[in-house]
Amino acid sequence: MDPIISEKYHTAGTIAAYARDEGAKRIKPDVSLLEVVSFVESCITEKGASLAFPVNIAINDLAAHFTPKDTDDQVFQSGDVVKLDVGAHIDGYIADTAVTIEIESNRYESLLKASEEALEKAILLMKPGVSLSTIGGTVQDIIQRYGFKPIENLTGHSLNRYTLHAGLSIPSVASMGLRGRPKVGDVIAVEPFATTGSGRVISGNGSNIYLINSGLHLRHIRDQRTKQYLSRLKKLFQTLPFSYRWCLPHLTNADSVLQRMSHLGLIHHYPQLLEQNHGLVSQKEHTIIITNEGCEVTTYGTNEG
Ligand code: CO
């Protein structure tokens, strides 16, 4: 990998890790989700990176995909199992990292340990040409040894410049028919999820996170107003996910505009991903770069790695 690009990935990683760890410290009873999300997002931009996606907070049986609206008044509660998923980029070179915190309790310590150890082992195995099914199988074994299930329909993913989900998927189970193997220079977000539930997620309500549909052309849109809105969103967010909150300074009636645009298929509104049997969910995630010998982790915090 070009050393300048590698440096950008590492800088994005250091900033994302710092924002993740500082954000995690602020997750306490009676603190609002909105406060933590705003803190983490400001932390990233103040350090000189850009937001690769809205900060995600997923509590208990919610596995992934949620960011609060500006009007959200939810607060954290003692005993909550909270996933904080953070994305930063420098010039399009993305770091994606997540951690799970159990608030004022150790009841699910082993659930947290399961996804943590699974991630550590997956990172040790990562190298050019490794079978992704072997990695998935190892993740599955570790999580099952702790007495939990891996979530089989959530996977890690490779990253490209300004692209959060590039070609490769990294499973948390041994699975057949996977395409591709990592090669030198690939950048991958590895993120095992462990659960006390059935091991599958289903779609719920809207996440307040959106993505512009890449396959569409402005010239095909007839309504001038809609065209204007869409070109504004494209300029602001390009190919990366964005939140309802981020639209507020740029759109009047953001609610109805976003609803109409997703109804027309111009943008995608991600659904919340809930554990099918309402099991609790833990997740840990790091971004890595595949090297000749193995991999480098870009998102280690000061006490990791
Ligand atoms: Co992530």
Side-chain angles (χ1 to χ4, degrees), residues 70-96:
D70 60 313
T71 50
D72 193 306
D73 57 4
Q74 274 184 91
V75 295
F76 294 106
Q77 291 176 31
S78 185
D80 279 348
V81 173
V82 182
K83 281 75 66 188
L84 176 67
D85 198 333
V86 172
H89 75 86
I90 301 274
D91 214 11
Y93 300 106
I94 300 169
D96 182 355

Side-chain angles (χ1 to χ4, degrees), residues 161-175:
R161 192 178 184 196
Y162 288 110
T163 308
L164 196 54
H165 287 258
L168 291 179
S169 294
I170 319 301
S172 293
V173 291
S175 47

Side-chain angles (χ1 to χ4, degrees), residues 29 57 64 135 163 166 238:
I57 289 183
I135 292 192
T163 308
Q238 297 157 317

Side-chain angles (χ1 to χ4, degrees), residues 8-220:
K8 287 178 179 176
Y9 272 119
H10 279 279
T11 306
T14 305
I15 293 171
Y18 176 79
R20 175 199 66 209
D21 293 344
E22 288 300 309
K25 287 181 198 164
R26 283 160 175 82
I27 296 178
K28 292 192 171 131
D30 300 322
V31 171
S32 70
L33 277 63
L34 197 57
E35 187 180 327
V36 170
V37 159
S38 309
F39 170 83
V40 175
E41 290 182 355
S42 319
C43 199
I44 291 170
T45 53
E46 278 164 19
K47 292 271 170 192
S50 303
L51 301 165
F53 53 83
V55 169
N56 279 236
I57 289 183
I59 302 175
N60 298 334
D61 62 332
L62 183 59
H65 292 178
F66 179 75
T67 200
K69 280 188 166 184
D70 60 313
T71 50
D72 193 306
D73 57 4
Q74 274 184 91
V75 295
F76 294 106
Q77 291 176 31
S78 185
D80 279 348
V81 173
V82 182
K83 281 75 66 188
L84 176 67
D85 198 333
V86 172
H89 75 86
I90 301 274
D91 214 11
Y93 300 106
I94 300 169
D96 182 355
T97 182
V99 71
T100 304
I101 297 111
E102 187 180 1
I103 303 177
E104 289 185 334
S105 163
N106 298 315
R107 198 169 157 208
Y108 294 102
E109 198 178 353
S110 62
L111 180 68
L112 272 56
K113 198 88 193 70
S115 51
E116 202 175 306
E117 195 183 317
L119 175 60
E120 276 167 24
K121 289 281 155 59
I123 288 171
L124 287 174
L125 291 173
M126 276 292 182
K127 60 178 184 187
V130 69
S131 146
L132 295 174
S133 182
T134 302
I135 292 192
T138 305
V139 165
Q140 178 172 19
D141 281 349
I142 292 167
I143 292 173
Q144 286 175 347
R145 222 177 293 148
Y146 277 92
F148 304 110
K149 286 192 174 156
I151 296 188
E152 61 182 43
N153 58 342
L154 281 177
T155 64
H157 46 96
S158 53
L159 302 160
N160 272 337
R161 192 178 184 196
Y162 288 110
T163 308
L164 196 54
H165 287 258
L168 291 179
S169 294
I170 319 301
S172 293
V173 291
S175 47
M176 295 289 131
L178 278 173
R179 277 197 207 162
R181 291 181 181 232
K183 55 184 194 307
V184 176
D186 280 354
V187 183
I188 300 173
V190 188
E191 50 178 333
F193 288 79
T195 181
T196 61
S198 67
R200 286 191 72 80
V201 287
I202 52 169
S203 297
N205 292 332
S207 63
N208 309 318
I209 302 167
Y210 300 84
L211 184 71
I212 295 163
N213 181 349
S214 62
L216 78 107
H217 295 282
L218 283 171
R219 64 172 185 277
H220 294 146

